[in-house]
Amino acid sequence: MAGFDIRTEQMNIRQHIGYMSQKFSLYQDLTVAENLELYAGIYGVSRKDLVERKKWTLELAELAGLDNMLTRDIPMGIRQKLALGTCLLHRPEIVFLDEPTSGVDPLARRRFWEIIHQISSLGVSVMVSTHYMDEAEQCDRVSLMHRGYLIAVGTPAEMKKYVAEKSGHLMELTCTNPMKGFQCLRQEFPNVNIYGKKLLFYTKNIEEDTRKAEYILNQSGIQMTKCREKRIIFEDVFMYYIENSGIE
């Protein structure tokens, strides 16, 4: 890792990586500045570099002016940015972020990702674990895991293209009885899924399979109200890989 052997050079590795845990792990009875100084010491940042590093971190994480505020008194979204800032103090080459936006509001989540992209633009390799598929899609490369197994690796664009080539068009169908409709369509469309009040299935022949689905539903007294092609999003990609992983 970072050019060092993980078995024999752990201390060297520590100087080249940063880690932010999912659970907020900073000291809430310390101020923002005190937390930064504490972690700078842990990472071995010299007193000479501390002032400049602390200023850079406060600006990057948008914490300027909050130096003397107790950590427990700042909102969760800002705490997460502080946690990110502390793991960047020693200017690591690789940063590991474990569910970094868990528990923050959508606006804070968006801003946090803007900071992640900013860090990446500086040449830092950022590895993020997340359950949010819209976040995963922002990454340059993605590894999908299911039940502890790695089921796919690639760029988001490559994965979307693969699913489209293998499965065809993703259709979104609404009907008067979604649950019963789901049961009726399963035999003819084994890849059908129910999502809220909508049914999703893949097809390589839109017109033919739309007519077929409507006929099957009508035979069971169910009226199809709409059937249209849906843009494949990354959540659909993840579901496709899970369903075709062969893992129970």
Side-chain angles (χ1 to χ4, degrees):
M1 184 180 296
F4 298 98
D5 191 317
I6 61 173
R7 294 166 297 182
T8 60
E9 299 178 289
Q10 293 95 335
M11 292 303 293
N12 286 326
I13 290 174
R14 195 177 77 172
Q15 297 304 313
H16 293 266
I17 66 171
Y19 171 70
M20 175 183 166
S21 66
Q22 178 180 2
K23 183 178 180 181
F24 186 73
S25 58
L26 303 187
Y27 293 91
Q28 300 199 42
D29 55 345
L30 297 181
T31 65
V32 169
E34 288 169 340
N35 265 301
L36 290 174
E37 289 167 8
L38 173 64
Y39 278 84
I42 292 172
Y43 281 122
V45 177
S46 68
R47 299 300 299 180
K48 176 183 175 183
D49 294 331
L50 179 58
V51 174
E52 185 270 331
R53 297 281 182 91
K54 191 162 70 170
K55 180 183 177 184
W56 177 83
T57 302
L58 288 168
E59 290 175 353
L60 178 71
E62 300 175 332
L63 297 167
L66 301 177
D67 313 39
N68 297 317
M69 184 176 287
L70 284 175
T71 302
R72 65 167 173 259
D73 294 333
I74 59 179
M76 184 61 184
I78 298 178
R79 284 189 208 171
Q80 292 297 87
K81 289 193 284 188
L82 173 59
L84 175 62
T86 59
C87 76
L88 295 171
L89 278 166
H90 57 304
R91 303 286 177 84
E93 299 168 24
I94 306 171
V95 176
F96 295 89
L97 308 179
D98 182 14
E99 301 278 356
T101 58
S102 177
V104 302
D105 64 79
L107 187 61
R109 192 156 69 95
R110 178 184 298 176
R111 182 60 194 129
F112 199 95
W113 270 90
E114 289 173 357
I115 296 173
I116 290 175
H117 287 303
Q118 188 176 347
I119 296 166
S120 178
S121 71
L122 298 174
V124 179
S125 296
V126 184
M127 299 190 69
V128 183
S129 66
T130 181
H131 285 86
Y132 297 115
M133 292 299 103
D134 60 322
E135 291 189 351
E137 193 169 2
Q138 294 191 53
C139 297
D140 298 313
R141 287 182 64 79
V142 178
S143 298
L144 300 179
M145 296 193 71
H146 177 53
R147 297 190 182 277
Y149 291 92
L150 188 64
I151 58 175
V153 178
T155 69
E158 289 170 347
M159 290 181 174
K160 281 186 173 182
K161 182 180 178 182
Y162 177 82
V163 171
E165 289 175 349
K166 287 290 184 179
S167 300
H169 307 276
L170 178 61
M171 305 301 294
E172 181 181 84
L173 182 152
T174 55
C175 61
T176 52
N177 191 331
M179 185 55 69
K180 185 178 178 182
F182 170 67
Q183 298 296 334
C184 294
L185 292 176
R186 288 182 71 179
Q187 185 171 353
E188 192 66 38
F189 299 92
N191 60 20
V192 67
N193 276 302
I194 187 165
Y195 192 86
K197 295 183 178 181
K198 299 174 182 178
L199 303 179
L200 303 179
F201 65 92
Y202 287 95
T203 176
K204 292 191 175 181
N205 191 320
I206 293 177
E207 290 186 11
E208 180 181 327
D209 282 345
T210 298
R211 287 195 299 268
K212 186 185 295 184
E214 185 172 22
Y215 175 78
I216 293 171
L217 293 173
N218 286 342
Q219 290 294 101
S220 299
I222 303 168
Q223 181 183 356
M224 184 178 79
T225 53
K226 185 185 294 184
C227 188
R228 65 181 181 87
E229 185 173 3
K230 177 182 179 293
R231 182 177 66 88
I232 295 176
I233 60 176
F234 208 64
E235 186 173 333
D236 301 319
V237 172
F238 187 41
M239 291 302 299
Y240 171 86
Y241 277 106
I242 288 177
E243 291 164 2
N244 291 275
S245 66
I247 301 171
E248 296 295 331

